[in-house]
Amino acid sequence: MPDHSSRTLAIALLPSLLTGLQSNAAEPAYSAIAPILQSRCVLCHSGPQAPLGLSLDSLDQLLAGSQRGPVVRAGDPAGSELLKRLKGLSLPRMPLSGPPFLSAAEITLFERWIAAGLPPGAGSPARNAAANRPATPSPQPGETVNYSHVETILNQRCVKCHSASGIMGTAPEGYLLSSYAATLASGERARVVPGSAEASELVRRIRGQARPRMPYDGPPFLDDREIALIVAWVEQGARDAQGKPAAMPTGAKLRLHGTLGGNWRLDGLALKVNAATRLDHSPQAGDYVQVRGRLLQDGSVLAERIRPR
């Protein structure tokens, strides 16, 4: 005789079995979070300058963790430092270029992946993910340099400190480099003077004309190619990613450091000095000095105070 009771039990259990299979199949693999890492994290976390040695170019590197140990723990989202950073439970919150930070849906994806045991997924790009990442845009011969050509350099080497919640806490002197608008901001003082690299504090810092030289974690500092690219960007009008030149921040305060030369030149920059200019402690040619001044309409610098440092 057929065993109808066994068949009935199997039919009754079928929906729950299917639900369990669907639930397991729906758990995200590394291949689902890799695009987020590539678009939001590897700007800083790749190569020899990766903070604390944490590279996020591949699954192998993510699992290797940082100098402080693992950043993800299989089955333990709450104990995974990566998730704490994404949520802001540990500081600084990541990515440093935020806000905006990752969306709630993106963070949940990481949380589910860790809870599921860090599955790699079929065809997961466990190695050599960096080789598939689009190269940093480079200007073509004769092309005007715009913000998209320098943004990656700033994100990789500067934003780790110069962001709202950087590794040093708040951004040094309140200067943010996490966006085009922030980089060009001139409310407190201008650090970028469109059309004049010599009058731009940002350029003087990365060249080492002003101390301390930046980035602060150097050496190595920016290489000659990177510096030349940022200089060209400033000289060509500090254009946005669409190629529109920045407005001249006429009247903005400036604070420049450098070596004073003859005829009131700061390195290669001619200063306008008049009877109202304060000359503290008799600055002489060859002195390392601080110049406080204002940007005039023609782009020249009116020195209000010069003093040796």
Side-chain angles (χ1 to χ4, degrees):
M1 295 287 292
D3 187 350
H4 295 291
S5 60
S6 297
R7 181 180 300 175
T8 300
L9 179 61
I11 293 173
L13 291 175
L14 185 58
S16 61
L17 291 172
L18 290 175
T19 299
L21 290 173
Q22 291 169 352
S23 176
N24 290 335
E27 293 305 327
Y30 172 75
S31 53
I33 66 168
I36 304 173
L37 293 171
Q38 293 297 316
S39 65
R40 296 301 308 275
C41 305
V42 299
L43 284 173
C44 291
H45 287 281
S46 63
Q49 296 299 318
L52 294 177
L54 175 61
S55 292
L56 297 174
D57 281 311
S58 70
L59 176 58
D60 290 344
Q61 291 171 318
L62 170 56
L63 297 181
S66 74
Q67 296 166 4
R68 295 177 179 173
V71 296
V72 288
R73 300 181 182 278
D76 183 14
S80 295
E81 185 64 20
L82 176 65
L83 195 63
K84 293 179 183 179
R85 296 282 181 164
L86 294 179
K87 288 184 171 182
L89 300 177
S90 290
L91 298 178
R93 186 173 183 177
M94 295 292 167
L96 277 176
S97 57
F101 298 103
L102 299 193
S103 67
E106 289 171 322
I107 293 174
T108 297
L109 199 64
F110 278 86
E111 191 166 23
R112 290 171 54 210
W113 174 65
I114 296 170
L118 315 177
S124 174
R127 292 180 175 83
N128 298 322
N132 298 321
R133 189 166 70 249
T136 301
S138 297
Q140 298 300 311
E143 181 185 4
T144 301
V145 180
N146 64 52
Y147 181 67
S148 69
H149 299 129
V150 303
E151 181 181 16
T152 298
I153 301 171
L154 298 177
N155 280 330
Q156 287 179 335
R157 297 304 308 277
C158 307
V159 167
K160 66 184 71 174
C161 291
H162 288 276
S163 61
S165 56
I167 60 177
M168 299 175 69
T170 56
E173 299 187 4
Y175 186 37
L176 303 176
L177 285 163
S178 50
S179 71
Y180 174 76
T183 303
L184 272 292
S186 58
E188 189 268 329
R189 71 178 187 269
R191 273 85 166 192
V192 173
V193 176
S196 179
E198 289 293 341
S200 297
E201 185 179 352
L202 173 65
V203 170
R204 289 182 163 272
R205 291 288 182 183
I206 64 174
R207 280 177 170 171
Q209 292 171 307
R211 300 194 293 261
R213 185 173 184 176
M214 296 292 165
Y216 197 65
D217 60 354
F221 298 104
L222 301 190
D223 61 34
D224 291 343
R225 182 196 65 83
E226 292 170 322
I227 293 173
L229 193 61
I230 293 175
V231 168
W233 172 63
V234 174
E235 288 287 350
Q236 295 174 22
R239 297 168 185 263
D240 65 15
Q242 288 70 48
K244 181 180 178 181
M248 180 67 72
T250 301
K253 294 180 180 179
L254 299 175
R255 192 181 74 190
L256 305 175
H257 289 203
T259 302
L260 189 64
N263 298 319
W264 301 113
R265 299 184 71 87
L266 186 68
D267 300 303
L269 177 67
L271 303 172
K272 290 193 173 183
V273 176
N274 58 29
T277 303
R278 286 181 55 183
L279 302 175
D280 293 348
H281 307 296
S282 303
Q284 304 293 319
D287 288 345
Y288 178 78
V289 299
Q290 180 191 85
V291 176
R292 291 180 180 266
R294 288 192 179 272
L295 186 66
L296 301 180
Q297 189 171 5
D298 62 358
S300 60
V301 176
L302 173 62
E304 298 176 332
R305 181 183 183 186
I306 304 175
R307 63 184 179 118
R309 291 300 303 268

